[in-house]
Amino acid sequence: DAGVIQSPRHEVTEMGQEVTLRCKPISGHDYLFWYRQTMMRGLELLIYFNNNVPIDDSGMPEDRFSAKMPNASFSTLKIQPSEPRDSAVYFCASRYRNGEKLFFGSGTQLSVL
Amino acid sequence: AQSVTQLDSQVPVFEEAPVELRCNYSSSVSVYLFWYVQYPNQGLQLLLKYLSGSTLVKGINGFEAEFNKSQTSFHLRKPSVHISDTAEYFCAVSALTGTASKLTFGTGTRLQVTL
């Protein structure tokens, strides 16, 4: 298996633009997580899905952020409009079930100018 | 809700010396505990996990951790570190039951190994 695949690896955009981050989880995994990592706040859980259904989105910072999982093999995290404070590394992770290890993607480094 | 505290943001250590990275957690229910490692420009990888049973858990790369329920701790140890162990280490917790299957991470400890 190729692991969790995220794209793009790097994204540089201007304030106000729409940004879409993509994730392909490991086949057979029931859970998908989106995390944001910054120096100031560490790793923050934004949202997670179980069987393609959003379970907890309490970590989504505001309405500018949205996430979807239209099928078991694909998820997106969208920021519209983007702001400089959204600059961070965004990780997608998946796992089979509770208690099992999370498999992380390599992350998307987002820079909003 | 669960929370994790990693008291040390950075731990400098010489190669071949022992190291302990501290982790304390808070939870009103029973939990699973994990240590993850992050190398530069990479995602996190699982080092070890405690689900139940023996309180001493052995992981990859010679690391081990001990679950102490009375002290709500899950400290990570290695008897002799190597330069290649330089990385960020994260302690994490998740509840055993219910819909609270999300993983909550600590703020991380940067282990810097030098010659």
Side-chain angles (χ1 to χ4, degrees):
Chain A
D1 201 312
V4 177
I5 300 173
Q6 289 187 248
S7 64
R9 189 67 192 269
H10 302 276
E11 177 80 32
V12 181
T13 190
E14 293 186 345
M15 184 175 63
Q17 296 298 306
E18 177 179 295
V19 175
T20 299
L21 312 181
R22 297 173 176 80
C23 175
K24 176 179 168 56
I26 292 174
S27 177
H29 282 190
D30 298 337
Y31 290 85
L32 183 140
F33 300 77
W34 282 101
Y35 284 90
R36 177 172 68 176
Q37 186 177 35
T38 61
M39 289 291 291
M40 292 297 295
R41 301 169 73 96
L43 266 170
E44 303 173 276
L45 177 64
L46 300 177
I47 184 172
Y48 79 93
F49 297 81
N50 178 214
N51 293 322
N52 313 337
V53 176
I55 302 300
D56 185 347
D57 65 354
S58 59
M60 296 285 261
E62 46 199 275
D63 292 344
R64 298 184 296 107
F65 285 69
S66 63
K68 294 181 180 179
M69 192 166 185
N71 56 62
S73 59
F74 184 65
S75 177
T76 59
L77 178 68
K78 187 174 294 186
I79 308 173
Q80 166 63 19
S82 58
E83 297 182 3
R85 60 195 168 114
D86 302 331
S87 297
V89 180
Y90 290 81
F91 287 103
C92 176
S94 71
R95 74 166 185 230
Y96 174 48
R97 58 188 174 190
N98 195 17
E100 297 296 326
K101 71 176 181 179
L102 273 179
F103 290 81
F104 280 78
S106 298
T108 295
Q109 174 77 58
L110 174 65
S111 297
V112 183
L113 307 176
Chain B
Q2 294 73 47
S3 67
V4 177
T5 302
Q6 292 182 248
L7 291 171
D8 306 305
S9 60
Q10 293 188 61
V11 174
V13 63
F14 290 111
E15 192 175 38
E16 297 184 3
V19 70
E20 178 179 85
L21 306 183
R22 296 181 294 170
C23 171
N24 288 87
Y25 69 94
S26 173
S27 177
S28 57
V29 299
S30 295
V31 295
Y32 296 136
L33 293 159
F34 305 80
W35 275 99
Y36 281 80
V37 60
Q38 184 180 29
Y39 298 103
N41 300 314
Q42 295 184 27
L44 281 70
Q45 304 170 34
L46 181 69
L47 266 181
L48 49 79
K49 63 181 179 181
Y50 172 78
L51 304 184
S52 63
S54 173
T55 57
L56 183 63
V57 181
K58 295 190 183 297
I60 62 172
N61 301 339
F63 284 93
E64 63 181 32
E66 185 155 20
F67 170 58
N68 188 318
K69 188 174 183 179
S70 62
Q71 297 187 3
T72 61
S73 68
F74 191 55
H75 301 330
L76 182 70
R77 302 184 183 98
K78 186 169 183 178
S80 177
V81 296
H82 190 267
I83 287 284
S84 60
D85 293 323
T86 295
E88 189 91 19
Y89 291 80
F90 293 90
C91 184
V93 62
S94 70
L96 261 64
T97 59
T99 59
S101 55
K102 62 184 179 182
L103 202 58
T104 301
F105 286 88
T107 51
T109 298
R110 170 80 178 160
L111 176 63
Q112 181 68 50
V113 182
T114 55
L115 295 172

